[in-house]
């Protein structure tokens, strides 16, 4: 605050209140819709005061899809993606910052380019590889001629479908290296003296990783965990494709299936109740972990 | 590539440490990306069993199709709309939050939360709000004589998906602008104030120029968001319609590949998208590099 300008401050508060109201209105409207019986949600205009059917509508949404199961699937998917990305990134960042080895630069660039292409861009071939994750291996065996030695029998038997599985929901989304670069940048700021001291004390690289690097990285890990959890929870296109069994899909996809079409009594109240259930977990995570969330954002992207 | 002075000596260990990362990206990143390139230059039979090399035919077909240009145009309008609305509101909200003394933390929490809402759910919320029959906004618009039906009117459909997508992105831009604003040294602003510069003048001549790096960075991020992450909004709200008005590129890749089963065209479109996103990334890195030099 540079000067005490009461008028400007008043204006700022009015603007912010209006802004917050605009940002919050869709959620409030959804909440009201979710709490009304169907006759009232279809009234034009819909009442703007909440009713008393929230739990009932949530229960209906729960029954229509396989909501309980889908919530668990979302939680598993988001947690595995966050944990998986963080784990493999911690390890690979350690490898490229603290070691010199042949093809180090190649590995660095191989990981680096994955930053550029989101899964949406290569969606069709990624789906194909998920339908048989051994396809690259089969191709390798055929091209190198190894398979010919066995009369083509190996590639014929190499089948590993990830459709309708947790591996399919998570692995393709783990395959990008955002976290690797965050950790690499962080490792580079750690004084070399620490590694030197660890070496003098006779600690091997893994000991150094576990006792020095990991504890120092906890803030980064927490920040990244929040962002990656939200990222995983909110995935839509990929779970939509990879799962056909409603009990294997995620809650976000489940809610989209609740959007009413042109039926005589469109159950918007149920759709909104389902929507609230699906958006609450990540919203709570962000609000409760706000500090880490902001830190993670500003650190990863810059 | 900057390295460490002190390093551990081992040949096997680093490769072992890299193995999980490399395995995942080889199978689920490089292989599919390579396949996209391969398929873009081939034509598959309907069962996807045999591929015939057709050179640039898929691309030629693409760039001779009016639908593709329509999709390019829809993407341009959509992403420009999302970027302008969400950057503008994000900056204003951040500037005011930075200005006020009381309630800062509360405002922050109230503005941040839409970040955590999945794009597809944002679409569902906004569709409900703007539904031509049941939505309260359609009702209000009808009262003042505007016929609102985004399911039939293409401009209104575009407006609706832009609003839903921008709403979700405002919180993200807000976080960065606020961080950028708080990094501006108070002393500079105080000096200007002592020289008699009013708040608006200070904002225009000091704050905005100092925020250019943040703004440029956010512009790229917002474009990437509008290009790729908004699939769910389109899929839930308009299905690319009405009449292809909101058929943005990423939705078209999906629709042509999975519904139309036209692998060659879908792959060619993937390649075009890859080129777009790589150019955006390179642009951003060049800019950030410059930023490092000039502080």
């Amino acid at each position: 605050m540079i000067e005490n300008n009461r008028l400007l401050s008043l204006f700022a508060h009015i603007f912010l209140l209006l802004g917050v109201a605009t940002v919050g209105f869709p959620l409030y409207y959804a909440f009201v819709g979710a709490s009304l019986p169907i006759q009232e949600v279809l009234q034009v205009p819909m009442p703007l005061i909440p009713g008393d059917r929230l739990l009932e509508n949530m229960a209906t949404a729960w029954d229509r899809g396989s909501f309980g199961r889908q919530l668990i699937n979302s939680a598993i998917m988001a947690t595995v993606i966050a944990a998986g990305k963080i784990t493999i990134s911690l390890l690979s960042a350690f490898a490229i910052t603290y070691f010199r080895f042949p093809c180090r630069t190649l590995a660095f660039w191989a990981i680096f380019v994955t930053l550029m292409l989101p899964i949406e861009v290569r969606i069709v071939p990624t789906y194909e590889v998920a339908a048989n994750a051994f396809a690259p291996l089969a191709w390798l065996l055929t091209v190198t001629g190894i398979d010919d030695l066995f009369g083509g029998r190996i590639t014929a038997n190499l089948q590993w479908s990830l459709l309708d599985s947790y591996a399919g929901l998570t692995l393709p989304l783990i395959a990008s290296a955002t976290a690797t670069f965050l950790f690499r940048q962080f490792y580079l700021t750690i004084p070399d003296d620490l590694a030197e001291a660890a070496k003098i004390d006779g600690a091997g690289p893994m000991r150094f990783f576990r006792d020095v690097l990991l504890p120092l990285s906890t803030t980064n890990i927490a920040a990244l965990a929040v962002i990656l959890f939200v990222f995983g929870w909110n995935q839509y296109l990929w779970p939509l494709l990879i799962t056909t069994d409603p009990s294997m899909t995620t809650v976000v996809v489940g809610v989209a299936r609740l959007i009413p079409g042109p039926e005589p009594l469109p159950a918007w109240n149920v759709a909104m109740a389902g929507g609230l259930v699906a958006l609450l977990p990540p919203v709570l995570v962000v609000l409760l972990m706000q500090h880490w969330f902001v830190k993670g954002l500003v650190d990863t992207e810059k | 590539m900057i390295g460490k002075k002190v390093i551990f000596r081992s040949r096997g260990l680093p490769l072992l440490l890299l193995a999980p990362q490399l395995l995942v990206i080889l199978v689920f990143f490089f292989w599919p990306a390579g396949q996209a390139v391969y398929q873009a230059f081939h034509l598959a039979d309907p069962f996807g069993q045999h591929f015939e090399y057709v050179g640039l035919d898929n691309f030629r077909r693409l760039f001779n199709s009016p639908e593709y240009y329509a999709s390019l145009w829809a993407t341009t309008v959509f992403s420009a709309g999302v970027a302008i609305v969400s950057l503008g509101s994000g900056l204003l909200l951040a500037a005011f939050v930075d200005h006020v003394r009381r309630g800062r933390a509360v405002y922050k929490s109230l503005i941040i939360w839409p970040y955590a809402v999945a794009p597809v759910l944002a679409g569902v919320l906004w569709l409900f709000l703007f539904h031509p029959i049941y939505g309260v906004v359609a009702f209000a618009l009808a009262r003042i004589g505007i016929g609102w039906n985004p399911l039939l009117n293409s401009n209104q459909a575009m407006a609706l998906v832009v609003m839903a997508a921008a709403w979700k992105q405002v919180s993200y831009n807000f976080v960065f602008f606020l961080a950028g604003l708080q990094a501006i040294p108070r002393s500079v602003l105080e000096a200007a104030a002592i020289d008699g510069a009013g708040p608006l003048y200070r904002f225009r001549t000091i704050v905005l120029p100092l925020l250019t790096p943040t703004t440029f960075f956010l512009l790229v991020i917002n474009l990437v968001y509008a290009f790729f992450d908004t699939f769910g909004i389109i899929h839930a709200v308009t299905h690319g319609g009405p009449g292809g008005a909101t058929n943005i590129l990423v939705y078209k890749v999906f629709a042509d590949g999975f519904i139309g089963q036209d692998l060659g065209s879908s792959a060619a479109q993937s390649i075009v998208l890859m080129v777009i996103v790589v150019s955006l990334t390179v642009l951003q890195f060049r800019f950030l590099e410059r930023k490092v030099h000039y502080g």
Side-chain angles (χ1 to χ4, degrees):
Chain A
M1 191 76 162
I2 313 294
E3 71 236 297
N4 208 352
N5 189 333
R6 273 168 184 271
L7 203 67
L8 186 63
S9 294
L10 183 70
F11 180 74
H13 279 290
I14 292 173
F15 182 90
L16 283 173
L17 288 174
L18 282 175
V20 164
T22 317
V23 168
F25 190 65
L27 183 70
Y28 177 74
Y29 195 67
F31 170 70
V32 175
S35 68
L36 294 173
I38 193 149
Q39 300 83 359
E40 281 179 51
V41 80
L42 297 181
Q43 256 175 46
V44 182
M46 190 187 93
L48 280 176
I49 294 146
D52 55 3
R53 303 287 180 88
L54 182 64
L55 293 178
E56 202 182 311
N57 289 333
M58 280 184 174
T60 313
W62 202 277
D63 292 339
R64 290 224 181 136
S66 315
F67 242 56
R69 181 67 197 267
Q70 289 169 1
L71 272 172
I72 296 172
N73 292 345
S74 287
I76 292 176
M77 181 178 174
T79 313
V80 171
I81 288 176
K85 270 199 191 223
I86 290 174
T87 310
I88 63 174
S89 297
L90 277 166
L91 295 176
S92 48
F94 178 50
I96 53 176
T97 8
Y98 280 93
F99 291 89
R100 290 271 140 58
F101 53 94
C103 304
R104 174 165 161 271
T105 316
L106 181 72
F108 177 85
W109 285 106
I111 296 171
F112 186 77
V113 283
T114 63
L115 288 179
M116 294 195 206
L117 302 179
I119 193 169
E120 283 82 3
V121 171
R122 52 196 155 88
I123 194 75
V124 177
T126 309
Y127 177 82
E128 284 165 10
V129 93
N132 181 16
F134 280 143
L137 186 61
W139 175 82
L140 196 70
L141 290 178
T142 314
V143 166
T144 51
I146 294 175
D147 195 33
D148 289 344
L149 301 176
F150 297 90
R153 270 174 315 211
I154 306 181
T155 51
N157 291 325
L158 278 177
Q159 281 290 329
W160 183 30
S161 169
L162 302 182
L163 305 181
D164 279 320
S165 75
Y166 290 120
L169 279 170
T170 52
L171 283 177
L173 290 163
I174 292 178
S176 91
T178 13
T180 310
F181 286 87
L182 174 78
F183 288 129
R184 174 179 170 269
Q185 261 174 324
F186 174 67
Y187 292 162
L188 287 176
T189 66
I190 294 177
D192 288 345
D193 301 349
L194 282 179
E196 192 94 64
K199 273 172 98 175
I200 291 167
D201 287 350
M206 286 322 284
R207 182 79 190 272
F208 170 73
F209 178 72
R210 203 188 60 207
D211 291 348
V212 180
L213 280 191
L214 269 190
L216 286 174
S217 313
T218 35
T219 329
N220 285 310
I221 293 175
L224 213 55
V226 180
I227 291 174
L228 291 175
F229 182 87
V230 173
F231 164 83
W233 185 281
N234 287 347
Q235 286 298 318
Y236 177 67
L237 176 55
W238 186 244
L240 182 74
L241 292 176
I242 194 89
T243 58
T244 44
D245 178 356
S247 72
M248 266 319 287
T249 198
T250 61
V251 69
V252 166
V253 174
V255 170
R257 293 203 173 123
L258 288 178
I259 303 176
E263 58 240 44
L265 270 183
W268 277 101
N269 51 349
V270 175
M272 288 303 127
L276 290 186
V277 173
L279 66 77
L280 227 49
V283 167
L284 284 180
V285 166
V286 162
L287 286 180
L288 295 176
M289 310 274 288
Q290 224 180 98
H291 170 72
W292 281 284
F293 160 70
V294 172
K295 191 175 160 22
L297 264 195
V298 180
D299 281 356
T300 36
E301 305 291 357
K302 269 190 168 167
Chain B
M1 199 158 98
I2 320 156
K4 285 264 176 191
K5 256 186 290 166
V6 181
I7 41 165
F8 294 102
R9 255 162 268 278
S10 168
R11 284 191 168 235
L13 186 60
L15 293 176
L16 201 67
L17 292 168
L18 276 169
Q21 174 92 269
L22 291 181
L23 202 64
V24 176
I25 63 175
L26 275 179
V27 176
F28 295 103
F29 182 91
F30 283 100
W31 178 261
Q35 286 287 301
V37 175
Y38 179 84
Q39 287 171 5
F41 294 96
H42 288 77
L43 234 124
D45 67 37
F47 305 102
Q49 294 299 313
H50 296 283
F51 290 89
E52 188 196 340
Y53 179 75
V54 292
L56 289 171
D57 270 8
N58 287 320
F59 291 96
R60 226 168 275 138
R61 206 151 47 98
L62 205 58
F63 285 105
N64 280 322
S65 119
E67 272 171 44
Y68 194 64
Y69 286 100
S71 175
L72 265 176
W73 177 242
T75 313
T76 312
V77 174
F78 176 72
S79 21
V82 172
I84 292 168
V85 174
S86 63
L87 280 172
S89 354
L91 175 61
L92 275 178
L93 289 169
F96 284 121
V97 168
D98 185 50
H99 176 83
V100 298
R101 225 181 314 185
R102 253 178 295 175
R104 198 179 276 178
V106 180
Y107 285 128
K108 221 167 127 182
S109 310
L110 288 173
I111 297 168
I112 263 179
W113 67 269
Y115 170 87
V117 178
V120 61
L121 295 179
V124 177
L125 294 186
W126 281 74
L127 178 61
F128 182 51
L129 201 58
F130 279 80
H131 193 278
I133 304 167
Y134 307 106
V136 70
V137 180
F139 175 80
L141 287 171
R143 273 291 182 80
I144 56 169
I146 299 173
W148 172 266
N149 192 345
L151 305 182
L152 295 174
N153 180 313
S154 40
N155 289 334
Q156 293 177 354
M158 180 57 90
L160 178 54
V161 289
V162 165
M163 283 189 288
W167 171 73
K168 203 198 124 40
Q169 191 67 2
V170 164
S171 44
Y172 185 94
N173 296 338
F174 168 79
V175 167
F176 278 91
F177 277 130
L178 192 61
L181 285 167
Q182 289 177 344
I184 294 175
R186 296 280 119 169
S187 55
V188 177
L189 295 171
E190 273 158 17
I194 291 166
D195 286 346
L200 258 183
Y201 185 76
R202 288 200 304 265
F203 189 74
R204 201 158 46 85
T205 54
I206 301 171
V207 176
L208 273 188
L210 285 176
L211 281 182
T212 357
T214 312
T215 314
F216 184 81
F217 161 79
L218 284 177
L219 181 67
V220 172
I221 296 289
N222 280 279
L223 289 180
V224 171
Y225 162 76
F227 265 84
F228 303 108
D229 294 343
T230 49
F231 171 86
I233 296 177
I234 305 290
H235 192 251
V237 179
T238 64
H239 284 277
T246 57
N247 193 11
I248 61 170
L249 291 170
V250 62
Y251 191 78
K252 198 168 155 51
V253 170
F254 160 81
D256 290 356
F258 284 99
I259 302 167
Q261 292 289 320
D262 188 348
L263 288 184
S265 170
S266 179
Q269 294 178 38
S270 289
I271 303 299
V272 176
L273 277 177
M274 286 186 198
V275 172
I276 293 175
V277 66
V278 169
S279 329
L280 280 173
T281 316
V282 170
L283 204 73
Q284 184 195 327
F285 271 96
R286 293 198 67 150
F287 189 86
L288 283 182
E289 225 172 313
R290 252 193 21 225
K291 202 191 98 197
V292 176
H293 286 300
Y294 300 111

